[in-house]
Each structure stands twice: as structure tokens, then as C-alpha cells.
Amino acid sequence: MLSRALVRVGATLLLGLMAATANAAGVTTCQGRFPNPITDICWSCIMPISLGGGTLASIGGQEDIRNPASPICSCGVNPTVGLSIGFWEPARHVEVVRRSFCLVSLGGVDLNPGIAAPDAGRYTDGTGDQNSFYQAHFYVNPVLYWLQVVADFPCLERASFDLAYLTEVDPLWNDDELTLILNPEAALFANPVALAACAADCVAATAGFARSELFWCAGCQGSLYPLDGHNIYHLGGVRTAELLMQRLTAKMHRELLAWGSHGAAGLCGPYFLPVMDKAAYKTQLTFPIPSTGKILGRCCQPFGRTTVLWGAGKEYPVKGEDFAFILFRKRNCCVGY
């Protein structure tokens, strides 16, 4: 009897040790991969390329927003006359991660400098709904420029790959009340009527582009507010990552770290745009499974589009629960001669 009891105790301790080890491994795991520009990026998303209001090139019926109607433009105090060109520039990269300071897009590098920051987690509130929290990182990634795909094209952002923003060092990212400093208008839309309007934004984003007038909505992903890492309705990792990617981009605009570059105002250079225009971005998943397969002829999705079609099968346990996206922003430019 004593030997059996000792065996049971030993087995219990062993199982407990194995569970603790597994939990620790889950917390400390930092997986990733630098996006391969050949296989992981859907280059057709750059299109359509436009001249004025007309289309010069497009593959697979790529979606576009309105361009300046006139093909002729001018910039500067002493006007330089040029051509009005429009395209979608792959210029930013966003990753949504479980472990703080885990740089997925740099191959899974642990950058933790010893600063206390909350890791991601999923939890159930008093109503039974599953909530979640993730950290996120914002990169400057002008792929076309640093690959030298097009030489001497003045419309490309001239920068190198750079880690621009870490939410782990931002106290607003983990506090719904503190983040009201950036978006006090969120209090106006925390009601059932404003949230119900997001259904119309979801329909618009799924059919084309989200409605800029509904700036408090993130399309089918729910509410864009608050601009932090908390999600009160966790319905899958891909959907939540898409939501937080939109929030972080909106946060960059609100902090004037991201500017507008589209429309007639963008022909002569970037301009302040503190309220993000959702229709000016298309996105493509690059990790854990690059979303290069075409859905209805396209592999990039506008902000707010449902993840039901393109997000299926893109998440898997342990190594496939962090996500990275490349952002294609709309760029209108006056190419002078």
C-alpha cells in the first residue's frame, strides 16, 4: 500500500513538473521569420498603377480608391509640372505577439532589456466572454526602396528597415483609461448604436473598402477604440491580430508618427493625418503562414475585411500564434520632369 501511494505521489509530481515545464515553454517561446521578399510578399498588391483617374496596369482586378482626376500636376513655389501617379507602396510592417519584446519579423529575436511588460493572455470576464491582450510592434519597411526594385523613382520613401515602435514601453497600450489621453472621443462611441454602425462598415470593407466616415469602427473586427492591446471579444488569433494591427496603425497616425500620402493632398509629399483613413491601407499576412494565395483574384485585404475566407488555417498552436502583416499604403505622387 505504501509503495503504491509513493508511486501515485511520484507520478503526480512528475505530471506537475511536466505541466509547469510546458507552460514555461509556452511563455518563453519566441518564434519568427524574416519575410522573404520573393515568396512571402504578394507583389500584385502594388497595383493598380494609375495615371490621373485612369488605370495604367492591374493584375487580377486589384482594388483601388479614388485618384486625382487630372493626369497633370504641379508642386513647389516655383511649380514643377509632372504626372499624377498612384500605386500601393509596401512601406510598413506590423506584428502582434504573445510574448513581450519578441521580434517575430526579425526571426524570433528576444529583445527584452529587462523592462517589466505584460505578456499576452486570454481570460474570461464575469459575463463568460473570452478577452485577450497582445503586444504589437511597428516597423518602417519600404521594401521597394531597399530592394532597389525601381531605380531613381522619386515617389518611394527613402528609408531602410527599422523597428519604429514597441508597445511594451508605452504605458497607454495596457490601460483603457490612460489611452483616453490620445482618443478622448472614444467615450462618444461606447454605446450600442455606435457599435451597431460597425456592421455597415463590415459590409463595406468586405465588398470593397471600409467607410472613412465610420472612423471609430474596424470593419468586421469590431471597434477601433480603445487604441490599446485589449480585445473584449476574442474570436480567434487572426481576427484579433488584424484588429490590433489596425489599432496600432491608427495610434501611429494619432501620435503623428504616420502621415497621409494619398489623394490630391499627397501629390507633393506626406501630410498630417491624425485620424487614420482606413481606405488608404491594404494588408497581407506574412507570418506564420504567408497569405499569398489569392482569394477572388487578390491576396491583399483592405482594413476591416472579414477574416473568414483568407484567415482560415493561418493559426496553429505554439509556433503559429504570433502574427505579422505587411502594410501597403496608398501613394499618390507628382512625378516632375
Side-chain angles (χ1 to χ4, degrees), residues 118-181:
D119 290 324
R122 300 179 188 177
Y123 50 93
T124 303
D125 62 13
T127 63
D129 293 323
Q130 189 178 59
N131 303 345
S132 61
F133 172 80
Y134 286 82
Q135 299 285 0
H137 308 139
F138 196 82
Y139 295 85
V140 174
N141 187 18
V143 185
L144 285 175
Y145 176 72
W146 61 257
L147 281 180
Q148 296 294 304
V149 174
V150 182
D152 298 325
F153 186 50
C155 295
L156 298 181
E157 180 179 4
R158 298 177 179 272
S160 58
F161 188 91
D162 185 29
L163 175 59
Y165 204 89
L166 290 161
T167 59
E168 288 88 343
V169 296
D170 182 357
L172 278 64
W173 188 253
N174 189 35
D175 194 315
D176 288 347
E177 295 182 359
L178 194 59
T179 195
L180 285 173
I181 296 173

Side-chain angles (χ1 to χ4, degrees), residues 3 12 34 44 82 96 117 142 152 163 189 204 242 272 275 310 320 337:
S3 61
T12 302
F34 188 85
S44 62
V96 179
D152 298 325
L163 175 59
F189 305 108
E242 177 82 9
F272 288 137
V275 177
W310 66 267
Y337 60 89

Side-chain angles (χ1 to χ4, degrees), residues 106-117:
L106 293 182
V109 175
D110 183 3
L111 193 66
N112 193 345
I115 300 175

